[in-house]
């Protein structure tokens, strides 16, 4: 399947899941959909035990939508998203889920665990690669920068952090909350091999995910649009929490189906 179709199908399922469950965080999921589509469609190597941790765990619907496209979970799972008794929770959870390594939702946490996994894999001489995706608002958490220090110190060239740089967080912009300034420059200053890309361009995403630098971890600053794919959700902070119902659902579905 092409990355474009993979992304389109993911967004349609994310919309259906969040609408049915009256859940939140649709714009956060759409922001990282293209990155997860490429990652799951053709980058993660099952036989090498590559790992992906969604550190911005509130976008868990995007992981579930990707696992569905890979055939790891079924339609009944998708239909049960965020409903009582479901294994698919609002913030991504590994409970009962083979293909999810770690539950996240408390921002600044998943990326540290991913770093620890990269340390362990190095010590064990494994040929696996660990990926973690953080939000840019999440980069306001001090623990992210402890990971930045530690990963460089241990020369973790088996570790890639992707920053979903959509410039928004929960209720306003990152700039209005705690300005991040030159975010790529900061990761570079911590000694990471850092690339900046359009996080919706599948070819650029794939090239960046495959980038390796001896003795250095890689940081991908993925410039994205929060709510990407549905015009009235793009860069509109209402859609961090709002769930799409009625005409909002119908209009969003029509837009996504036409892509
Ligand atoms: C430690 C912690 N503090 C606060 C929250 C509440 N919260 C959930 S999403 C969010 C905004 C995150 O912004 P960002 O990382 O930029 O992700 P985006 O949704 O913009 O992609 C916040 C503050 C949380 N989940 N964890």
């Amino acid at each position: 399947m092409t990355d474009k179709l993979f992304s389109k199908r993911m967004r349609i399922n994310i919309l259906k899941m969040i609408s049915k469950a009256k859940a939140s965080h649709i714009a956060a999921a759409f922001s990282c959909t293209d990155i997860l589509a490429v990652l799951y469609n053709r980058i993660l190597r099952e036989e090498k035990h590559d790992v992906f941790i969604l550190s911005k765990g509130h976008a868990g619907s995007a992981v579930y939508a990707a696992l569905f496209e890979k055939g790891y979970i079924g339609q009944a799972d998708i239909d049960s998203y965020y409903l009582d008794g479901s294994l698919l929770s609002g913030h991504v959870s590994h409970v009962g889920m083979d293909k999810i390594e770690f539950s996240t939702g408390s921002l600044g946490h998943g990326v540290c665990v991913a770093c620890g996994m990269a340390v362990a894999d190095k010590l064990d001489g494994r040929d696996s690669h660990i990926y973690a995706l953080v939000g840019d608002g999440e980069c306001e958490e001090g623990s992210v920068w402890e990971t930045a220090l530690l990963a460089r110190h241990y020369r973790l060239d088996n570790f890639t952090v992707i920053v979903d740089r959509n410039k928004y967080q929960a209720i306003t912009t990152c700039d209005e909350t705690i300005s991040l300034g030159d975010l790529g420059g900061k990761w570079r200053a911590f000694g990471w091999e850092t690339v900046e890309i359009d996080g919706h361009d599948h070819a650029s995403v794939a090239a960046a995910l495959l980038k390796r630098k001896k003795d250095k971890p890689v940081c991908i600053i993925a410039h994205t649009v929060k709510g990407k794919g549905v015009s009235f959700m793009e860069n509109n902070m209402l859609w961090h929490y709002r769930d799409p119902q009625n005409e909002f659902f119908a209009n969003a579905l029509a837009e996504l189906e036409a892509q």
Side-chain angles (χ1 to χ4, degrees), residues 28 56 58 105-107 135-138 141 166 168-170 226 240:
K56 47 167 260 188
H58 56 285
S106 183
L107 296 169
D136 47 5
E138 184 175 6
E141 295 279 358
N166 59 36
Y168 282 83
Q169 42 192 83
K226 195 156 176 172
H240 184 79

Side-chain angles (χ1 to χ4, degrees), residues 204-234:
S204 307
V205 170
L209 290 171
L210 291 171
K211 192 170 182 60
R212 304 286 183 266
K213 183 81 176 175
K214 187 163 172 34
D215 289 340
K216 282 187 169 194
V218 175
C219 175
I220 303 169
I221 305 289
H223 293 278
T224 53
V225 174
K226 195 156 176 172
K228 177 73 178 178
V230 174
S231 57
F232 59 86
M233 293 184 188
E234 291 187 357

Side-chain angles (χ1 to χ4, degrees), residues 6 10 36-37 40 61-72:
F6 199 105
M10 276 178 66
L36 266 63
Y40 279 93
S61 58
V63 171
Y64 297 136
L67 294 182
F68 176 75
E69 293 309 324
K70 293 294 287 182
Y72 294 139

